[in-house]
Amino acid sequence: STTVVMVAHNNAQSMREHMPNILVQNVYDYEIIVVDYHSVDDTNFVIQVCSADYPNLKCISMQNDVNFFQGKKYPLSMGIRSATGEVVLLTDPDCEPIHYSWVQHMAEPFTNSNIQMVLGVTRLRTKHNLLGALQQYHNMAYSCSFLSSALMGHPYTGMGTNMALRRSFFFERDGFINHYIEPAGADDIFVNRNATKTNTAVCLDPKAAVTTEGAFSFFTWRYQRRQMYSTRCYYSMMQRLRLVLRPLMVMVFYLACVAMFLLPSVPWVIPVALLLLKVVWQIVCVGYAQSLFALRNYHWFAPLLELYFVFSNTFLSIISLHPKRCNP
């Protein structure tokens, strides 16, 4: 059996909009546990109304703030502990499955007894503006990075908006105990410390994808990205170096092309040909990947969007190399 677990904090409106698709999954023996953590809006009322028609929806109400650590790791642990299903599917109140067979597809890899975690695809709902384009490209590039790495046998992170794990495995590995002090990274750090080539699977079926709300302002989005990168100091040094090298190599490539173009001894055809080759290959690759994230025509702007992230993400990645930013 499968249990869907999420933590809600003042998410009444999100749950009104997105819970229906979670409640009508085509799986018979599954339950939904919502941990109502210290909400002061109508979150608890929405859960009660829904549970009247759907008895498989259960609520754990934590009205008193007994969480001595910041973040959602403690309430999420309470939700996983209360689950009756061996397979636990993690998501958030603002997430919505795009298909009624989401639970079925995410739980399917667990038929292999060696699989302990499954990483899924998360799409973004954003406005059609510059901020939305930046968020969509970043989400696609970030997701493709960790999903492809997991497919090649080197899983290093996941997204708690669409991720499944075995309940027994979670407690065998002490859950979030070793990094409770870090507010972020309930999904990120746990996957990084426990995922291996043999115990982690990837579900790329479009019917297993969920959508989640993007940030409404640039400052909120920047804060979210800084939170995401702040947990990388829990990674091994080799993993951190690998994640820094990619944007650095892209930056070096562009600088080398500019340098060759300015040198009189180098024919201008060479740097131009190299740039065209990279741009065409990138457009083709992004065009292929964007179908998984339900995007259109982003591949034409991929080289320009990449330039923005080459500089911004390189800076955030280099900061994560500092060994004293957290205490693994």
Side-chain angles (χ1 to χ4, degrees):
S1 60
T2 305
T3 301
V4 178
V5 177
M6 67 180 74
V7 176
H9 175 68
N10 296 333
N11 294 115
Q13 184 60 36
S14 294
M15 296 186 70
R16 288 191 189 99
E17 296 175 2
H18 309 303
M19 277 297 289
N21 276 20
I22 298 178
L23 293 168
V24 296
Q25 293 291 300
N26 65 351
V27 180
Y28 178 74
D29 57 341
Y30 83 106
E31 67 175 351
I32 305 163
I33 294 179
V34 180
V35 183
D36 179 17
Y37 175 61
H38 204 51
S39 296
V40 294
D41 64 353
D42 293 332
T43 296
N44 191 262
F45 175 75
V46 173
I47 298 172
Q48 290 179 5
V49 171
C50 292
S51 61
D53 295 323
Y54 298 92
N56 60 330
L57 173 61
K58 302 176 183 178
C59 176
I60 300 175
S61 184
M62 300 177 63
Q63 294 304 316
N64 296 319
D65 191 1
V66 296
N67 183 8
F68 298 103
F69 304 97
Q70 296 180 345
K72 69 175 186 179
K73 292 178 182 177
Y74 177 71
L76 186 58
S77 295
M78 294 298 100
I80 297 175
R81 184 176 295 277
S82 302
T84 59
E86 170 61 6
V87 174
V88 176
L89 185 48
L90 305 181
T91 190
D92 286 333
D94 65 343
C95 293
E96 181 177 357
I98 66 171
H99 199 267
Y100 59 85
S101 60
W102 166 60
V103 171
Q104 175 187 341
H105 286 289
M106 286 296 292
E108 193 173 296
F110 290 102
T111 54
N112 182 340
S113 60
N114 294 324
I115 298 301
Q116 306 295 332
M117 288 185 288
V118 175
L119 309 179
V121 174
T122 299
R123 300 174 179 176
L124 285 185
R125 299 186 299 270
T126 61
K127 294 183 179 180
H128 297 290
N129 54 22
L130 179 59
L131 175 61
L134 289 172
Q135 289 185 81
Q136 291 284 6
Y137 181 83
H138 181 263
N139 178 66
M140 179 179 63
Y142 177 72
S143 298
C144 287
S145 176
F146 77 78
L147 291 173
S148 61
S149 184
L151 287 171
M152 291 187 293
H154 303 286
Y156 67 89
T157 189
M159 294 179 68
T161 49
N162 193 15
M163 187 178 84
L165 49 83
R166 292 189 190 272
R167 182 178 181 274
S168 56
F169 178 75
F170 178 79
F171 290 109
E172 285 172 6
R173 299 305 177 98
D174 295 325
F176 308 127
I177 292 176
N178 296 326
H179 47 91
Y180 260 131
I181 194 172
E182 173 61 49
D187 44 8
D188 179 20
I189 302 174
F190 183 83
V191 173
N192 182 263
R193 292 195 165 188
N194 299 291
T196 66
K197 178 180 180 179
T198 57
N199 73 3
T200 305
V202 174
C203 184
L204 296 180
D205 194 305
K207 295 180 180 179
V210 303
T211 63
T212 188
E213 206 72 56
F216 293 102
S217 71
F218 181 84
F219 297 102
T220 302
W221 178 52
R222 185 178 64 176
Y223 173 78
Q224 292 174 352
R225 289 171 58 221
R226 292 180 68 177
Q227 285 288 97
M228 180 179 67
Y229 278 85
S230 69
T231 60
R232 287 193 176 179
C233 55
Y234 286 86
Y235 293 11
S236 68
M237 180 55 69
M238 186 59 67
Q239 288 174 327
R240 282 181 275 173
L241 285 173
R242 190 183 301 123
L243 292 172
V244 170
L245 281 177
R246 184 192 176 279
L248 275 178
M249 293 304 295
V250 175
M251 186 183 299
V252 169
F253 172 81
Y254 280 116
L255 293 175
C257 287
V258 172
M260 285 190 293
F261 189 80
L262 295 176
L263 289 174
S265 58
V266 179
W268 63 269
V269 177
I270 295 178
V272 171
L274 290 174
L275 281 172
L276 284 176
L277 181 63
K278 181 191 182 303
V279 167
V280 171
W281 179 247
Q282 185 175 8
I283 289 174
V284 171
C285 291
V286 173
Y288 178 79
Q290 70 179 1
S291 60
L292 184 62
F293 296 88
L295 303 179
R296 291 184 178 181
N297 300 323
Y298 276 79
H299 57 299
W300 299 114
F301 305 99
L304 294 176
L305 293 169
E306 182 192 49
L307 282 175
Y308 171 82
F309 289 108
V310 160
F311 293 96
S312 61
N313 285 356
T314 301
F315 175 73
L316 291 173
S317 298
I318 291 175
I319 291 177
S320 71
L321 291 174
H322 198 291
K324 295 183 179 180
R325 290 186 62 84
C326 59
N327 300 306

